[in-house]
């Protein structure tokens, strides 16, 4: 009979990356988890190295590998956290569907086809997917929705601009978090909303129906978003910023705990669900 007690068996996909290392480190420090797998791509220079040591912690006894660990049939408490790259996500999703493992996807820059693939996977396994795992970011998204709903019909009009700052190594722009802010705000503004990515040249006057996006890539910034709500005579700036990457790693671990502790069945969930702030 499967054992429902004990820690959650955790596999980290993208374990040698910047975020994967932090998930490994925080997972090792949390008695709710037992690290059983640390996966990275076949060309990773970290293959064969202890995942704890690569993360800057004490050895974990789990080496970084390009092969998925064998399932422990004695435990039904297992989860996979994916912090990898868009080109790696498909194989991870396929493995989790075949293994029946709950999945937390924190990888950004996914194509529409890959998002559809997550929806299909969620018909057979529980999946948490969000463009940001940060508690503060998701709370700010709710606040942004409320501000927009309250001011969308203000006399003189409401202008919304989204500025995002990330480290120089980030491969996608705008960030998935910025796009999610825009999606939620557009949901309040209405179907005629357009999305403008940067401006250059003689653009003419700003229309009342657009949301502007501006991507800044500097140094080692782990993530910062500023939503500007501009009106005639006054403005509101909503700013949320990470000082390090641990907020994303701890959020992903919290999502994995939520899937297991709430015994969630198949479905596609968000961090709003994890935090009890679902839109329903």
């Amino acid at each position: 009979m499967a054992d429902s007690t004990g820690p959650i068996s955790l596999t980290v996909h993208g374990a040698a990356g910047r975020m994967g290392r932090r998930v490994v480190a925080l997972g090792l420090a949390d008695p709710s988890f037992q690290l059983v797998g640390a996966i990275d791509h076949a060309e990773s220079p970290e293959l064969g190295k202890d995942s704890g040591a690569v993360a800057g912690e004490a050895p974990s006894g789990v080496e970084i590998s390009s092969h998925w660990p064998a399932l422990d049939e004695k435990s039904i408490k297992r989860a996979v956290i994916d912090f990898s790259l868009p080109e790696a996500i498909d194989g991870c999703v396929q493995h989790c569907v075949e293994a029946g493992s709950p999945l937390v996807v924190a990888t950004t820059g996914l194509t529409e086809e890959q998002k559809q693939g997550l929806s299909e996977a969620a018909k057979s396994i529980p999946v948490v997917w969000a463009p940001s795992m940060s508690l503060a970011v998701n709370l700010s998204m709710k606040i942004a929705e409320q501000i927009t709903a309250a001011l969308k019909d203000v006399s003189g009009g409401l202008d919304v601009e989204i500025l995002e700052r990330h480290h120089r190594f980030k491969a996608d722009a705008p960030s998935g978090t910025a796009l999610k802010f825009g999606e939620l705000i557009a949901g309040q503004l209405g179907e005629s909303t357009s999305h403008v990515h940067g401006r250059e040249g003689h653009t003419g006057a700003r229309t009342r129906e657009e949301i502007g996006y501006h991507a800044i890539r500097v140094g080692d910034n782990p993530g910062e978003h500023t939503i500007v709500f501009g009106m005639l005579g006054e403005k509101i700036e909503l700013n949320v910023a990470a000082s390090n990457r641990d907020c994303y790693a701890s959020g992903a671990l919290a999502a994995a705990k939520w899937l297991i502790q709430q015994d969630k069945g198949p479905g596609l969930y968000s961090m709003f669900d994890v935090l009890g702030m679902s839109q329903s």
Side-chain angles (χ1 to χ4, degrees):
M1 184 178 190
D3 183 8
S4 62
T5 64
I8 299 167
S9 297
L10 174 66
T11 298
V12 179
H13 183 245
R18 287 184 294 271
M19 281 308 313
R21 297 182 191 207
R22 295 313 301 155
V23 176
V24 168
L26 297 185
L28 289 172
D30 188 334
S32 298
F33 294 98
Q34 179 181 2
L35 185 69
V36 298
I39 310 301
D40 216 275
H41 63 89
E43 303 302 319
S44 171
E46 310 300 339
L47 292 185
K49 298 180 182 179
D50 186 276
S51 58
V54 170
E57 305 296 327
S60 66
V62 177
E63 292 185 351
I64 295 178
S65 173
S66 59
H67 301 290
W68 291 89
L71 291 178
D72 181 1
E73 298 298 339
K74 295 181 180 180
S75 174
I76 61 173
K77 295 174 62 177
R78 57 177 180 263
V80 173
I81 293 178
D82 170 76
F83 255 118
S84 60
L85 296 170
E87 52 265 35
I89 186 68
D90 295 340
C92 176
V93 172
Q94 180 181 350
H95 165 81
C96 290
V97 169
E98 293 174 352
S101 292
L103 172 63
V104 176
V105 177
T107 297
T108 61
L110 303 184
T111 65
E112 290 304 316
E113 183 179 358
Q114 288 173 319
K115 292 176 185 178
Q116 182 60 37
L118 285 180
S119 295
E120 288 298 318
K123 294 177 180 179
S124 57
I125 60 171
V127 178
V128 170
W129 177 75
S132 176
M133 293 286 148
S134 160
L135 170 63
V137 164
N138 284 280
L139 287 170
S140 297
M141 286 178 176
K142 279 296 182 185
I143 294 171
E145 279 190 298
Q146 293 172 337
I147 292 173
T148 308
L151 297 177
K152 64 181 181 180
D153 297 320
V154 67
S155 177
L158 175 67
D159 303 326
V160 181
E161 299 281 311
I162 301 173
L163 294 79
E164 58 99 343
R165 298 173 174 86
H166 281 87
H167 52 86
R168 65 176 66 156
F169 306 104
K170 186 168 178 59
D172 58 311
S175 69
T177 299
L179 293 173
K180 185 63 176 181
F181 267 111
E183 175 189 326
L184 295 172
I185 291 168
Q188 297 297 324
L189 292 177
E191 294 181 359
S192 61
T193 305
S194 61
H195 301 265
V196 177
H197 298 277
R199 295 184 180 86
E200 183 180 7
H202 186 71
T203 60
R206 187 191 197 282
T207 70
R208 295 182 61 173
E209 291 78 26
E210 66 190 53
I211 298 174
Y213 298 83
H214 310 275
I216 300 166
R217 297 292 175 263
V218 287
D220 60 353
N221 192 323
E224 180 176 357
H225 294 79
T226 301
I227 318 303
V228 182
F229 300 90
M231 297 157 284
L232 298 181
E234 58 186 340
K235 67 177 171 66
I236 298 171
E237 289 194 11
L238 177 62
N239 177 266
V240 57
S243 57
N244 61 53
R245 294 183 174 86
D246 284 7
C247 61
Y248 308 121
S250 61
L253 290 165
K257 284 183 188 178
W258 179 80
L259 283 176
I260 303 303
Q261 293 172 354
Q262 298 295 318
D263 194 24
K264 304 306 286 188
L268 185 60
Y269 305 100
S270 72
M271 284 301 287
F272 290 159
D273 296 305
V274 174
L275 296 171
M277 303 188 305
S278 60
Q279 295 174 289
S280 59

